[in-house]
Amino acid sequence: MSEPGAAGPGPGPAAIQVSRIMRPDDANIAGNVHGGTILKMIEEAGAIISTRHCNSQAGEPCVAALARVERTDFLSPMCIGEVANVSAEITYTSRHSVEVQVNVMSENILTGAKKVTNKATLWYVPLSLKNVNKVVEVPPIQYARKEQEDEGKKRYEEQKLDRLETKQRNGDVIFPVINPDRQTKEPHTVGYSQSSLIHLVGPSDCTLLGFVHGGVTMKLMDEVAGIVAARHCKTNIVTASVDAINFHEKIKKGSVITISGRMTFTSNKSMEIEVFVDADPFVDESRGRYRAVSAFFTYVSLSKEGKPLPVPQLLTETEDEKRRFEEGKGRYLQTKAKRQAQMQQAAQH
């Protein structure tokens, strides 16, 4: 369900809200809603508000395509029977892109209790309905204060730079592993938990332009990352956070996509999983396989009572695995330091 909401505190058009009750097929066996389900709802809300805004003035009809999702933390688990309320608001526009900020709140409809579960920032690019390779201009929004525009521009430049850096790292390959002989591999090694999923892109996965919805891709990525995490620790696992997700290239209807995930780092209570999406455009034989999306997912292990459990240490065997482990450790320590700084700042206020 989608409905216009009241105008929020930001400078953009009126916010929208998408709400849906969480069903058993949205959750794992412990009743916790999959992170991919929430990511898909976040993307749907972002796509609605950005497409609506980009068509708000006379001009070429277009559809907003997801280009990037900034890091998002899953602040608390959502359960079957709760209602997910996803609100989206446009907070910055450049000439060819739209920044959308999304908040997710879970609601217990029996008690009325509400809690914030996610906050996310997404970037969209409007593509012409007549020519999918043409990026149309975005109508500007009005800012309440000059500082809001300056801060938005700074975020825009930062994400642009990060996207370039990520693209340079994309030569890395995870060889698909569909049904490996795990008996030959040691538990808690990268090879033991590494997993892949192959998916044929159908019409229900796609936008009006015939390309995959970003939310569909993120849901599949979360499924693969969840399988890797579950194989590593053999407990109930939930998504704790997702690092920036970069959509490097569009995926066309009829393509076969391979979503591959591998463990890169473990701390005492968390696991980092790298996920790649590679596309084989069988409908366009002139083009070979290419890297479409990449991201890092972080998972935690929970007991039956929902309490955090220790995570088995990842056993690295090759030099590449050791290098990726150290890089993951660096990201983990950086995130931890940033979170502690935010907590100190909040305490001072």
Side-chain angles (χ1 to χ4, degrees):
M1 179 178 72
S2 168
E3 57 186 26
I16 67 156
Q17 183 167 296
V18 177
S19 300
R20 184 163 74 76
I21 194 163
M22 296 293 100
R23 304 183 300 266
D25 58 349
D26 293 315
N28 61 20
I29 54 173
N32 301 125
V33 173
H34 290 293
T37 299
I38 305 302
L39 288 170
K40 190 168 184 285
M41 287 191 70
I42 287 172
E43 197 278 327
E44 286 170 354
I48 291 168
I49 195 169
S50 50
T51 298
R52 184 180 288 167
H53 174 70
C54 292
N55 289 281
S56 62
Q57 295 183 7
E60 208 167 330
C62 62
V63 171
L66 184 62
R68 176 179 166 91
V69 181
E70 301 293 354
R71 178 187 169 86
T72 176
D73 292 292
F74 291 77
L75 305 172
S76 58
M78 197 178 294
C79 300
I80 295 170
E82 292 185 331
V83 171
N85 295 305
V86 184
S87 58
E89 184 177 22
I90 293 175
T91 47
Y92 179 75
T93 55
S94 69
R95 189 180 176 190
H96 292 122
S97 65
V98 181
E99 179 193 54
V100 180
Q101 293 193 3
V102 182
N103 288 326
V104 184
M105 188 168 281
S106 66
E107 176 189 358
N108 185 318
I109 52 178
L110 300 179
T111 65
K114 296 180 180 180
K115 57 186 177 184
V116 176
T117 61
N118 288 81
K119 292 183 178 181
T121 301
L122 302 89
W123 293 90
Y124 287 85
V125 174
L127 303 178
S128 167
L129 275 176
K130 296 176 183 175
N131 177 6
V132 296
N133 295 315
K134 181 182 177 183
V135 179
V136 303
E137 288 200 18
V138 176
I141 58 172
Q142 298 299 313
Y143 299 94
R145 302 188 318 276
K146 181 69 168 62
E147 292 79 17
Q148 289 177 328
E149 183 176 8
D150 293 341
E151 289 164 4
K153 189 173 183 180
K154 185 181 176 185
R155 292 192 299 271
Y156 168 74
E157 294 296 341
E158 285 173 351
Q159 65 87 27
K160 198 174 175 183
L161 185 65
D162 190 73
R163 275 173 61 77
L164 284 173
E165 290 174 355
T166 307
K167 215 161 189 178
Q168 290 168 1
R169 201 171 62 226
N170 261 352
D172 210 352
V173 174
I174 303 179
F175 292 104
V177 179
I178 306 304
N179 190 25
D181 182 8
R182 297 189 194 281
Q183 292 179 341
T184 65
K185 303 182 191 308
E186 287 291 321
H188 309 141
T189 59
V190 175
Y192 184 84
S193 59
Q194 184 176 320
S195 304
S196 298
L197 182 154
I198 293 178
H199 179 76
L200 174 63
V201 176
S204 62
D205 298 322
C206 297
T207 66
L208 294 171
L209 294 170
F211 294 100
V212 179
H213 281 288
V216 170
T217 308
M218 290 192 291
K219 191 170 188 293
L220 291 169
M221 292 172 79
D222 181 71
E223 284 180 18
V224 169
I227 292 169
V228 174
R231 279 179 169 152
H232 181 76
C233 56
K234 301 193 185 318
T235 58
N236 175 36
I237 49 90
V238 294
T239 316
S241 66
V242 184
D243 207 355
I245 305 176
N246 290 291
F247 292 78
H248 308 292
E249 296 199 44
K250 300 186 290 292
I251 303 171
K252 203 170 185 177
K253 180 173 66 180
S255 298
V256 170
I257 55 175
T258 304
I259 306 98
S260 301
R262 65 182 170 203
M263 191 80 65
T264 49
F265 170 76
T266 54
S267 68
N268 290 333
K269 291 185 178 177
S270 68
M271 299 160 273
E272 182 192 71
I273 295 124
E274 185 173 27
V275 183
F276 290 152
V277 179
D278 293 318
D280 283 307
F282 290 164
V283 291
D284 180 9
E285 293 183 0
S286 64
R287 186 168 191 199
R289 184 185 179 101
Y290 62 92
R291 175 67 38 80
V293 194
S294 58
F296 290 99
F297 285 69
T298 299
Y299 278 76
V300 291
S301 173
L302 299 179
S303 67
K304 291 179 181 178
E305 295 75 35
K307 302 293 183 185
L309 290 172
V311 170
Q313 183 73 10
L314 179 65
L315 303 177
T316 54
E317 298 174 301
T318 69
E319 288 305 313
D320 280 344
E321 289 173 2
K322 290 171 183 174
R323 172 183 55 80
R324 287 194 292 268
F325 186 92
E326 290 304 316
E327 289 172 353
K329 186 177 181 180
R331 286 186 291 271
Y332 167 76
L333 293 174
Q334 192 176 23
T335 301
K336 190 176 180 181
K338 191 175 179 182
R339 190 181 294 125
Q340 287 174 342
Q342 289 171 343
M343 289 172 66
Q344 288 174 356
Q345 197 175 15
Q348 288 170 0
H349 287 298

